[in-house]
Amino acid sequence: MTKPAVRLHLYLAAGSDRAVILRQGPARQARMILWHRDTDSFEDGQWLKQRLYKDRCAISPDGRHFLFFALNGHWGGVAQGAYTAISRPPYFTAVALFPQGNTWGGGGWFVDNSLFVADGAADVIGGAKDLVRLVRTDVSPRYPLGLKLADGRAAPIGKAKAARAFKAPEPVPELELYETSGGRLYRREGADLTLIRDFTEMAFEPIRAPYDTRPQNDADPDSAPSWHPLGRGKG
């Protein structure tokens, strides 16, 4: 039996040595791994059995939060079938979730460690108390920067940060120091590649995030106090 192809997608934090690795394989299974680049140590985290849009994901500058866009196809569920979420690496369990309802938009990025922009409806979880969502809107006397907060107030930020809310940040330059191929992570040293770790031999396992507040025996995410990604129920 042919093994599914394994691909690695890297997201390096701009302000720390943390990075998130999304290990994809099979196609609709991904595992989040937290990589401490200063020690090349890894925290193998949670799996997601949904379609992830890798180009609509982002890591916060301090590496403590991860924003992702996913499709689960449960159009009548709380996530409306497609959604943007924020989690704490190396877990997908959402602390904030913004239902999208389609795949035309979705995703977002971090302006700094606490400010972020995200597509989708209002947050249905409310567990990201240390983060503030910036909502883009038309420029007006009320919103001179074209930004507001979730409660409708004008965003109290300067022009420099406001500009970063309208354009996704470029990948950090250090990304060029690494290469991924065949599910393996390499460090690039000139023309040479040094293997850091092989991620090919992994298989799905249900892993619970330590910050998941649902009862252990809760089988219905729609009735639970926080959303989770393992594919049960209608979430």
Side-chain angles (χ1 to χ4, degrees):
M1 182 176 179
T2 303
K3 291 186 177 181
V6 175
R7 296 179 176 86
L8 303 179
H9 308 276
L10 306 183
Y11 305 85
L12 276 57
S16 78
D17 288 318
R18 291 185 169 206
V20 159
I21 300 172
L22 294 182
R23 178 206 181 273
Q24 181 188 15
R28 286 183 178 256
Q29 286 189 25
R31 188 175 202 178
M32 189 186 302
I33 298 159
L34 180 59
W35 173 24
H36 300 274
R37 293 190 297 126
D38 54 341
T39 59
D40 280 340
S41 58
F42 300 87
E43 297 178 43
D44 297 340
Q46 211 168 32
W47 291 80
L48 183 71
K49 284 189 172 183
Q50 297 171 16
R51 180 179 176 182
L52 271 176
Y53 290 75
K54 271 57 109 216
D55 58 342
R56 305 190 206 177
C57 299
I59 188 172
S60 62
D62 60 7
R64 298 187 179 279
H65 291 94
F66 189 72
L67 185 152
F68 62 94
F69 181 65
L71 169 72
N72 67 8
H74 298 304
W75 304 108
V78 65
Q80 297 181 17
Y83 59 89
T84 298
I86 295 177
S87 68
R88 299 173 187 166
Y91 306 98
F92 286 104
T93 296
V95 294
L97 186 144
F98 311 95
Q100 180 74 23
N102 58 63
T103 59
W104 294 106
W109 58 86
F110 292 89
V111 174
D112 59 22
N113 289 329
S114 61
L115 298 174
F116 70 95
V117 293
D119 287 345
D123 179 18
V124 297
I125 295 179
K129 303 298 184 184
D130 52 343
L131 300 179
V132 177
R133 184 186 188 186
L134 298 174
V135 180
R136 288 162 290 186
T137 188
D138 294 333
V139 174
S140 67
R142 184 178 181 184
Y143 304 117
L145 296 175
L147 292 169
K148 61 181 179 179
L149 303 181
D151 60 8
R153 292 179 295 137
I157 61 174
K159 290 184 178 180
K161 283 191 176 181
R164 296 203 293 271
F166 288 93
K167 183 179 180 181
E170 296 292 330
V172 299
E174 289 84 359
L175 189 62
E176 297 182 0
L177 300 177
Y178 305 100
E179 176 73 23
T180 62
S181 178
R184 298 172 179 87
L185 174 64
Y186 298 89
R187 180 173 286 103
R188 187 188 301 277
E189 299 171 290
D192 299 325
L193 297 177
T194 301
L195 179 66
I196 300 174
R197 186 180 172 187
D198 186 336
F199 294 88
T200 55
E201 298 301 322
M202 288 185 171
F204 177 85
E205 55 180 315
I207 295 174
R208 186 183 182 89
Y211 56 85
D212 191 341
T213 59
R214 295 175 306 121
Q216 287 283 351
N217 60 354
D218 193 339
D220 184 0
D222 283 344
S223 65
S226 69
W227 180 87
H228 76 111
L230 299 182
R232 298 178 298 174
K234 303 175 182 178

